[in-house]
Amino acid sequence: GFSESDGVIFQLGLQQDNFLGTGRKVGVSLSNSDTLTEYSFNYTNPYYTVDGVSRGFNVYYRERDFDEDDVSSYTTNEYGGGVNFGYPIDDYQRLSFGLELDWTEINTYPDTAQLIEDFVAEEGDNYLTYRLTAGWSDNRLNRGFFATDGYAQGANIEIALPGSDLTYYRASYNLKMYHPLDEDQLWVLGMRGRAGFGDSLGDNRYPFYRHFYAGGLRSVRGYSNNSLGPTDGGSSDDTFGGNVLLTGGAELIT
């Protein structure tokens, strides 16, 4: 494929929802683009308990090039894995919880902004993180693809626990709504919004590589990908992102 933000994309994946007749879900994925190279494996038992609680495991390796993603000049190497649980509240809502171990390495370059160089000089260039995650989703759309009525919303929070090299929290909320304007649902009003906030939990700084970004087709149309927000003050004055995010949009769909 091809994306405005990621360039040429190559992806290969295999997902089996009933692995060897056990009812377990097993998947492997390989993807490569100008901005991201990722290898991942996941395993899920959707009925870990008779109440429908799911349990899963995942491992991954990622290489991210933020300069290619139209932000500051640096790259990261990430290794990690974790365990996660899901609990259905009803037919529409679901809770999820996870515990993940992540190791991230920051790579800088001659044109890397001073803001990033200062962070690395103070906090180091590699970080071991014990991350706790929790999420809630509520999906009441009338169909999975090309919805014309209903809404879907979700909230997530991740906390880098004490004992991690960097301790912080990062929370986000997403909402999308569709309202048909005629009986045949040929004209639909679509609205979307996203909010996010993150901050440090200790004496360390909030990690810049967990910043929020805005701009682009799936965020704020009419602006280039990741072009909105504070800049890094470097020679190229690239977008640096921030720890607060609030975006919204409305569109007429036919």
Side-chain angles (χ1 to χ4, degrees), residues 3 28 102 118 179 190 203 205 222 252:
S3 165
V28 293
D102 177 87
D118 292 344
H179 180 72
D203 296 332
R205 301 187 192 181
L252 187 62

Side-chain angles (χ1 to χ4, degrees), residues 24-164:
R24 274 64 164 173
K25 299 179 181 180
V26 176
V28 293
S29 177
L30 300 86
S31 61
N32 184 68
S33 69
D34 292 344
T35 62
L36 174 66
T37 299
E38 180 175 18
Y39 309 94
S40 64
F41 169 82
N42 65 83
Y43 165 90
T44 302
N45 180 354
Y47 295 100
Y48 179 62
T49 73
V50 295
D51 297 323
V53 174
S54 65
R55 183 184 69 173
F57 304 91
N58 71 295
V59 292
Y60 59 85
Y61 169 71
R62 303 187 188 110
E63 296 178 4
R64 298 178 185 266
D65 189 334
F66 286 81
D67 189 29
E68 290 289 344
D69 206 15
D70 303 320
V71 296
S72 295
S73 176
Y74 68 96
T75 62
T76 61
N77 298 328
E78 304 171 46
Y79 308 82
V83 57
N84 56 80
F85 295 88
Y87 177 74
I89 301 175
D90 52 33
D91 291 340
Y92 307 100
Q93 302 179 81
R94 189 173 183 86
L95 296 174
S96 61
F97 304 93
L99 184 62
E100 189 174 90
L101 178 66
D102 177 87
W103 182 82
T104 299
E105 179 184 25
I106 304 292
N107 304 299
T108 60
Y109 300 91
D111 60 342
T112 298
Q114 192 60 45
L115 280 172
I116 297 174
E117 296 285 9
D118 292 344
F119 184 96
V120 170
E122 183 175 340
E123 305 290 352
D125 60 2
N126 58 84
Y127 322 102
L128 180 64
T129 305
Y130 307 99
R131 192 155 53 208
L132 179 67
T133 61
W136 165 73
S137 62
D138 180 18
N139 190 332
R140 300 171 191 262
L141 298 175
N142 63 337
R143 61 183 69 156
F145 294 96
F146 303 111
T148 57
D149 196 7
Y151 66 87
Q153 60 181 333
N156 295 278
I157 185 170
E158 64 178 67
I159 303 173
L161 299 172
S164 303

